């Protein structure tokens, strides 16, 4: 790692700079900011969105109405309009004569390359759609997708959209248990998966390990499993249920008409962690979601569709992959890079090699990845010609000013504006950022709400905070890409998002501050959600995985500040009986969590504790655990049932529990 002094020298005068104006090239295309729009007389956000949707989407039947808030908080947008999402992402570009344009420059882990044009993606999508339809999948049915970063993942998502089926993509890093659980929760009728997936030179037998779990925990609704042949490894096939995707596609009709669906047709479910062990099935619908993803992709990334090449490093299994690798870029007819591998495989400069190779102009990643790149040293980006880059983006967690400046200087050559985009799985699309050309950027500060969006920083009681005062982020007006509900759990939807401040105001779950110019700094989560490398996990989810281990009596999990991953998981574990915590048991527990949830949920640190700090009513005081884990002075412990427990824990930590690195 470049040491601190190198870094200081490297960033030099930039360290004192608090704001950065957009370079000349962007000023010409100056946009109307959200603040300007809201200040303009007679403006109304729903009317403004109605005008935008007609511009960015191709509606089979244009909507005449914008927001319908009559069933608040179950809002609808453009409800009398009809469209087909896959037509908007594919057919319309081919019809316009752009069928030969590359949708994805795909790069496999071992260096294979494939350019997928819009015409090819449309052809594959239609065949997959027919293969699904031929097996009885109809509009409204749920189709699980568990695939690595290969073009078939995108075609499968669009195939669902084409026939009105609802996709439920699960991130490739999740364990088979988590995949099966999500199929169960969503009552999926089909699952599209892969024989094997490659990761850093190894191949994991995905289909076979899903089968093992499915045998143990059958999902009654699951009638069909489609298997994409990606690695050619030996794969057991279950007669009558499983089918090879290539064979199903070959047998399917090449044409599948893109029939229009109502704007509120559900498009996808994406499970995300909440404050209980059961993940939330965040449900998005079609017209509003596609409007805001398409509009924000065009405006925030300043898209010049003929010349830009865009690279989003997110996986399709997260919302960033959905909105800004699939729907936003494709709705605009953009050309993107899709990379199958890890950021450090086959070498630590692979992203920059790809940027040079494909002439990437727009680059979107997460702060945690930027921090990893800083650690690997500036020589990796510097080995490559990055002169085509003209705009950089970040998402997923607050970016510390040093990482921002490094990104700006080392990757962007001090010429590229950085858009720090704040949004969530629930918001569907970007809500707060700076518009290049219209606004200065401030390192570490997301920006202002986009046009058509309102956010506020409020007190616990819902009163708007003064500039500079920390409070809770809230969204007092609905927006087109918002989640519509939690799948099959409308009560939890109301309770989670619309009970704190009443039915009209969405509770975000983030702490934030707004400055005098209206710029929002997002500080972090206020609930029991941990953000590890921009991935959301709930403390309860990890705790329930740990306590499922036979040697564990009790566990409490917290998010601990971490220089690399933003937050890291620390687990305080009480063992059964007189069992002793050993290094071997640490490894066993970490592996156990990896098996149950996925490697991403493995605690970085396990602290053995013979008891946990509890109030007299038995509630675990996580705040105290966070304090002790981060080495802060302990506050008032008198409300604890056993006030000595904290002193014992502190001694335990000081005696040297070593965090594990992956
Ligand atoms: O805490 C905020 C943080 O990530 C959370 C949303 O996580 P998820 O639904 O997984 O979506 C991540 C990708 C959109 C938010 O509640 N977050 C996201 N973007 C930012 C951020 N925190 C600070 N700055 C951001 N730009």
């Amino acid at each position: 790692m470049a040491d601190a002094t190198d870094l200081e020298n490297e960033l030099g005068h930039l360290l004192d700079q608090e704001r950065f104006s957009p370079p000349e090239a962007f000023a010409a295309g100056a946009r109307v900011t959200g603040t300007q729009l809201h200040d303009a007389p007679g403006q109304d956000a729903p009317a403004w969105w109605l005008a935008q949707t007609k511009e960015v989407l191709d509606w089979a039947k244009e909507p005449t109405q914008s927001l319908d808030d009559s069933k608040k908080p179950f809002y609808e947008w453009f409800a009398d309009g009809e469209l087909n999402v896959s037509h908007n992402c594919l057919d319309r570009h081919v019809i316009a004569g752009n069928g030969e344009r590359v949708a994805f420059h795909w790069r496999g882990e071992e260096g294979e390359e494939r350019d997928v044009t819009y015409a090819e993606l449309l052809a594959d999508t239609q065949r997959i759609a027919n293969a699904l339809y031929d097996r009885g999948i109809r509009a409204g049915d749920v189709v699980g997708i568990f695939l690595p970063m290969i073009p078939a993942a995108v075609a499968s998502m669009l195939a669902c959209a084409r026939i009105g089926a609802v996709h439920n993509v699960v991130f490739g890093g999740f364990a088979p248990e988590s995949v099966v659980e999500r199929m169960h929760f969503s009552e999926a009728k089909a699952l599209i998966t892969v024989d094997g997936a490659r990761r850093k030179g190894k191949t994991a037998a995905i289909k076979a390990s899903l089968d093992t779990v499915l045998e143990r925990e059958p999902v009654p609704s699951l009638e069909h499993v489609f298997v994409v042949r990606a690695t050619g490894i030996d794969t057991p096939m279950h007669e009558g249920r499983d089918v090879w995707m290539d064979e199903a596609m070959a047998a399917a009709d090449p044409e599948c008409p893109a029939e229009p669906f109502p704007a509120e047709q559900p498009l996808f479910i994406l499970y995300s962690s909440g404050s209980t062990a059961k993940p939330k099935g965040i449900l998005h619908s079609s017209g509003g979601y596609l409007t805001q993803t398409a509009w924000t992709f065009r405006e925030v990334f300043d898209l010049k569709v003929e010349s830009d090449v865009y690279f989003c490093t997110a996986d399709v299994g997260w919302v960033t992959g959905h909105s800004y690798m699939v729907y936003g870029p494709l709705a605009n007819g953009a050309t993107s890079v899709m990379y199958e591998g890890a950021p450090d495989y086959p070498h630590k400069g692979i992203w920059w090699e790809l940027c040079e190779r494909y002439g990437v102009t727009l680059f979107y990643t997460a702060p945690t990845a930027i921090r990893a790149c800083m650690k690997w040293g500036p020589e990796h980006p510097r080995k490559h010609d990055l002169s085509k880059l003209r705009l950089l983006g970040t998402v997923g967690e607050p970016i510390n000013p040093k990482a921002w400046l490094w990104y700006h200087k080392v990757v962007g050559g001090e010429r590229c504006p950085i858009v720090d985009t704040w949004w969530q799985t629930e918001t569907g699309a970007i809500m707060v950022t700076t518009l290049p050309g219209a606004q200065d950027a401030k390192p570490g500060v997301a920006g202002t709400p986009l046009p058509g969006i309102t956010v506020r920083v409020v007190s616990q009681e819902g009163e708007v905070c003064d500039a500079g005062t920390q409070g809770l982020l809230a969204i007092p007006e609905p927006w087109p890409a918002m989640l519509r509900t939690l799948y099959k759990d409308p009560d939890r939807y109301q309770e989670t998002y619309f009970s704190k401040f009443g039915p009209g105001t969405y509770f975000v779950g983030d702490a934030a501050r707004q400055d005098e110019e209206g710029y929002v700094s997002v500080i972090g989560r206020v609930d029991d959600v941990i953000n590890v490398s921009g991935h959301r996990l709930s403390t309860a989810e990890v705790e329930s995985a740990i306590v499922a281990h036979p040697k564990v009596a009790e566990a409490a999990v917290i998010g601990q500040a971490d220089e690399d991953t933003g937050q890291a998981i620390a687990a305080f574990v009480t063992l059964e009986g007189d069992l002793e915590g050993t290094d071997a048991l640490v490894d066993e527990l970490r592996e156990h969590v990896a098996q149950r949830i996925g490697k991403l949920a493995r605690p970085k640190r396990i602290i053995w504790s013979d008891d946990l700090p509890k109030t007299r009513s038995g509630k675990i005081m996580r705040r105290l655990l966070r304090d002790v884990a981060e080495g802060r002075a302990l506050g008032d412990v008198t409300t604890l049932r056993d006030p000595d427990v904290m002193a014992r824990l502190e001694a335990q930590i000081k005696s040297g529990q070593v965090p594990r690195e992956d």
Side-chain angles (χ1 to χ4, degrees), residues 272 319-320 394-398 420-426 446 508 510 522 524-525 531 534 536:
S272 183
V319 76
T320 309
T394 127
V395 60
E397 40 163 343
D420 177 348
T421 62
W422 177 86
W423 58 293
Q424 306 177 296
T425 309
E426 290 88 339
V508 167
D510 282 351
V522 177
R525 304 285 311 184
N531 189 334
R536 252 164 86 166

Side-chain angles (χ1 to χ4, degrees), residues 255-326:
E255 267 173 51
C256 175
E259 277 166 29
F261 289 99
E264 283 298 336
Q265 177 74 18
L267 180 62
F268 66 86
I269 307 167
L270 191 55
Y271 280 89
S272 183
S273 296
S275 47
T276 70
K278 188 176 177 196
K280 300 183 288 196
I282 291 168
L283 182 83
H284 281 284
S285 67
S286 304
Y289 171 80
L290 200 63
T291 300
Q292 200 179 329
T293 49
W295 189 89
T296 49
F297 182 70
R298 193 184 74 181
E299 295 300 311
V300 174
F301 292 90
D302 183 54
L303 181 69
K304 308 275 181 276
V305 74
E306 305 283 340
S307 53
D308 275 324
V309 178
Y310 165 75
F311 183 9
C312 167
T313 67
D315 190 281
V316 279
W318 299 107
V319 76
T320 309
H322 281 58
S323 300
Y324 295 105
M325 220 190 74
V326 179

Side-chain angles (χ1 to χ4, degrees), residues 520-543:
V520 179
S521 303
V522 177
I523 294 151
R525 304 285 311 184
V526 292
D527 51 11
D528 291 328
V529 171
I530 316 180
N531 189 334
V532 183
S533 300
H535 299 157
R536 252 164 86 166
L537 290 159
S538 85
T539 51
E541 210 172 347
V542 183
E543 278 164 12

